[in-house]
Amino acid sequence: WIPALHLLCEMAGSSVERNTVTYAAAVSACQKVSAWGSAVQLLHQAMEAGVEMNTVLYNSMVSACGEGGEWMRVAQLLHEMTDSHVEWDIITYNTAVSACGKGGEWM
């Protein structure tokens, strides 16, 4: 996951544009090692860079935070999606439910 973050940083100095796909891939790399804190930092970087925040990127974030047992952060992300008019899809719902299960939070 660290090499993925380094590549993302290197892209800033090249002609290759960082976009939703590249950020989602980097978030996915963080998820695989339960580095949800780094994933959250990537989300903020993407927002600051003006990257379009879409369902794919948010789903990557929800998944990364869910894997880390961060169900409260997942809830915040779902609210952000709604506030930003980003539509939820079946992956969003399934990942959110899974995050609640991992966090021991059932309504």
Side-chain angles (χ1 to χ4, degrees):
W1 67 279
I2 291 175
L5 299 182
H6 285 295
L7 285 171
L8 190 66
C9 289
E10 286 180 20
M11 289 176 73
S14 74
S15 62
V16 179
E17 180 183 353
R18 294 182 292 178
N19 59 26
T20 303
V21 174
T22 56
Y23 276 100
V27 167
S28 180
C30 292
Q31 173 197 349
K32 289 179 180 10
V33 295
S34 298
W36 67 269
S38 294
V40 170
Q41 288 176 338
L42 286 172
L43 178 70
H44 293 296
Q45 286 177 13
M47 288 176 165
E48 289 172 5
V51 171
E52 176 190 359
M53 304 305 293
N54 65 14
T55 305
V56 172
L57 186 51
Y58 270 109
N59 282 350
S60 295
M61 284 298 308
V62 169
S63 185
C65 291
E67 286 293 318
E70 295 295 317
W71 66 270
M72 289 182 71
R73 182 66 181 137
V74 168
Q76 289 173 334
L77 289 166
L78 297 176
H79 285 291
E80 284 179 28
M81 287 179 77
T82 300
D83 292 345
S84 300
H85 306 288
V86 175
E87 289 189 37
W88 298 14
D89 63 10
I90 191 69
I91 295 168
T92 311
Y93 285 102
N94 286 344
T95 307
V97 168
S98 177
C100 290
K102 288 179 182 171
E105 290 299 317
W106 292 99
M107 295 182 198

